[in-house]
Amino acid sequence: MCGRLAVTLPNDAMAQMFSALPANNLPTDPNYNLCPTDQIAVVTGGADARRFISMRWGFLPHWYKTETDGPLLINARAETLAEKPAFREACRQRRCLIPVSGWYEWQKDTDGNRLPWYFWPTDKTPAVLAGIWQSWGDGTNSCAIVTTTANETLSKVHHRMPVTLTPEEWGLWLGEEGHGAAQLMTPSPEGRFTCHRVGKDVNSNRASGAQLILPLTDA
């Protein structure tokens, strides 16, 4: 699963990159330790224009009576996305783009210690993750990251990875270019992303700062 994110990208630059209209309440950037239930900036499509808006990271199905009424749905598996009652309507009608700088995964060592790794684009461009979203309750917008089987390189740390999209694929995922988004839910090509061990400070959801994504020199 993808359980923590780094978002260091200026909101105004991201809105411009996606040709999207930015909302006034976008999360403060940068955030090197964005956690589930935090607000995250996402791109949605529309009949008139794309929009860059804030959403809760943690998908809330319409039948939840409270935000804690069921499991915390931060990820949605590509293999079952169109079948799961929580996700199938959003899969068809409400897909979004989630731009991040990178994401964290944890690997257990032989002693059971959780060792954090940071994954990021090799070319240092933004990583654009495939997402789905839902409007819930009083109008709260929430989202989940679509995941798939990790490619060979990343599977050495974790068996899952986010579905990532190139600029040529954004329109199709947002539903702007007809049908066929399902074909995009595949592992990224080898070499597009890399990873390195980082310090255990990020194990705390209260940790912050650019040092969290720095390579662990004694790993």
Side-chain angles (χ1 to χ4, degrees), residues 6 19 21 23 29 38 40 76 82 88 99 110 112-113 117 126 128 158-159 164 173 175-176 179 198 207 216:
S19 301
L21 300 174
D29 59 76
D38 285 350
I40 187 170
R88 60 191 177 199
T110 54
N113 299 309
W117 290 72
V128 180
H158 199 276
H159 67 287
T164 61
W173 183 256
E176 299 168 347
H179 302 290
V198 294
L216 187 64

Side-chain angles (χ1 to χ4, degrees), residues 91 95 163 165 169 172-175 178-186:
C91 172
R95 299 188 295 270
V163 171
L165 304 169
E169 296 168 336
L172 183 57
W173 183 256
L174 290 176
H179 302 290
Q183 66 186 332
L184 304 177
M185 294 190 289
T186 58

Side-chain angles (χ1 to χ4, degrees), residues 31-219:
N31 187 342
Y32 291 88
N33 191 14
L34 195 145
C35 303
T37 76
D38 285 350
Q39 292 290 308
I40 187 170
V42 310
V43 179
T44 61
D48 51 349
R50 292 177 181 173
R51 285 176 167 76
F52 196 45
I53 63 176
S54 180
M55 292 191 183
R56 175 191 190 269
W57 181 26
F59 191 94
L60 295 169
H62 65 82
W63 59 81
Y64 277 24
K65 294 181 173 60
T66 68
E67 292 184 0
T68 58
D69 203 31
L72 182 58
L73 304 175
I74 61 172
N75 296 151
R77 295 175 66 92
E79 296 87 344
T80 57
L81 190 64
E83 303 167 7
K84 292 288 186 180
F87 302 136
R88 60 191 177 199
E89 184 179 352
C91 172
R92 294 192 300 268
Q93 301 181 12
R94 292 184 300 277
R95 299 188 295 270
C96 62
L97 308 174
I98 305 176
V100 302
S101 304
W103 70 92
Y104 300 94
E105 296 285 8
W106 278 260
Q107 182 185 48
K108 284 189 177 181
D109 65 13
T110 54
D111 295 323
N113 299 309
R114 296 179 71 242
L115 308 178
W117 290 72
Y118 181 62
F119 294 73
W120 49 281
T122 306
D123 62 5
K124 300 181 181 180
T125 60
V128 180
L129 314 184
I132 55 173
W133 67 278
Q134 169 89 10
S135 186
W136 172 86
D138 59 358
T140 298
N141 290 324
S142 64
C143 65
I145 294 168
V146 180
T147 67
T148 187
T149 304
N151 64 26
E152 183 178 356
T153 301
L154 303 190
S155 67
K156 296 173 183 178
V157 176
H158 199 276
H159 67 287
R160 304 289 295 178
M161 68 172 295
V163 171
T164 61
L165 304 169
T166 65
E168 296 76 22
E169 296 168 336
W170 297 347
L172 183 57
W173 183 256
L174 290 176
E176 299 168 347
E177 300 173 5
H179 302 290
Q183 66 186 332
L184 304 177
M185 294 190 289
T186 58
S188 66
E190 301 295 333
R192 182 181 292 178
F193 293 92
T194 190
C195 60
H196 57 244
R197 273 282 313 281
V198 294
K200 293 182 180 179
D201 286 352
V202 76
N203 288 3
S204 169
N205 58 14
R206 298 181 179 179
S208 63
Q211 79 282 354
L212 296 178
I213 67 172
L214 296 179
L216 187 64
T217 55
D218 59 351

